[in-house]
Amino acid sequence: MKNFITIEGCDGVGKTCQTALLKEYCLQHGYDNIVFTREPGGSKIAEQIRKIILDANNAEMSDLCEAFLYAASRIQHLEDIVKPALAEGKIVICDRFVHSSYAYQGVARQIGLSRVRAINEIAVGEYMPQFTVFLDLSPEAAFERKGGKDVTDRLENVDIDFHQKVYSGYKQLIDEATDKFVVIDASGSTEQTHQKVIDALIKKGVLK
Ligand code: TYD
């Protein structure tokens, strides 16, 4: 879908920080036609679903239940935020979207890419991103950068093996559709990565 851009990466890659910096840059440069949002969550009901998914007390949640909850949250977020903004002619930049489900649920949680794609096809329909910015950093480096585990978050309380699977999941998705991804080396400083993101969005015609 034209003007719908997503940002993806493993946990700890600095994605949230980079998205905030990008938003700040856009504000400072007078872009009032760009809507920033995030998943899981992003709107009232979607945020409530996010809380259930990320709650450390829900450790027994089945992987398939989790996959459906992400998709359910995605449907509501699309209806509440993404579709109205695109209909108004705005650009939407979303921190995580369907490729997180493919990599985390499909590959790392081993539900299978085809099943997760099927669930999300119903949820997303034609609202697939125009392209995805992938912040590329090995899970080991990302883990270091994060300074260890946050045990209050169910999903971050998992070992490095899981994150390696997520990373290889993303790599597989990129290999399958290189034209749909902009891969950015995120191993440098925050400022260097920020500049690379800006340059990539200028090259893609999103920013001037
Ligand atoms: P969050 O705290 O937003 O992490 P980050 O700042 O790294 O984006 O938590 C999002 C977590 O949810 C993250 O571990 C990835 C996971 N996730 C999935 O497993 N599937 C999905 O479809 C989405 C959107 C997120």
Side-chain angles (χ1 to χ4, degrees), residues 7-17 38-41 50 53-54 66-67 69-71 73-74 95-105 109 116 120 146 153-156 158 162-163 166 170:
I7 304 181
E8 296 277 355
C10 294
D11 289 84
V13 73
K15 191 171 49 54
T16 306
C17 166
R38 68 149 187 193
E39 285 205 354
R50 174 192 168 94
I53 302 171
L54 300 184
E66 184 185 80
L69 285 179
Y70 278 118
S73 149
R74 185 159 296 134
D95 178 354
R96 294 198 184 281
F97 192 61
V98 75
H99 294 96
S100 285
S101 284
Y102 297 162
Y104 284 78
Q105 281 66 57
R109 296 255 187 237
V116 174
N120 279 281
K146 264 206 117 178
D153 184 328
R154 187 174 69 85
L155 297 184
E156 289 179 6
V158 287
F162 178 80
H163 294 294
V166 172
Y170 276 125

Side-chain angles (χ1 to χ4, degrees), residues 142-161:
F143 197 71
E144 285 285 304
R145 192 177 272 186
K146 264 206 117 178
K149 293 178 181 178
D150 171 4
V151 290
T152 59
D153 184 328
R154 187 174 69 85
L155 297 184
E156 289 179 6
N157 191 15
V158 287
D159 55 29
I160 193 80
D161 281 3

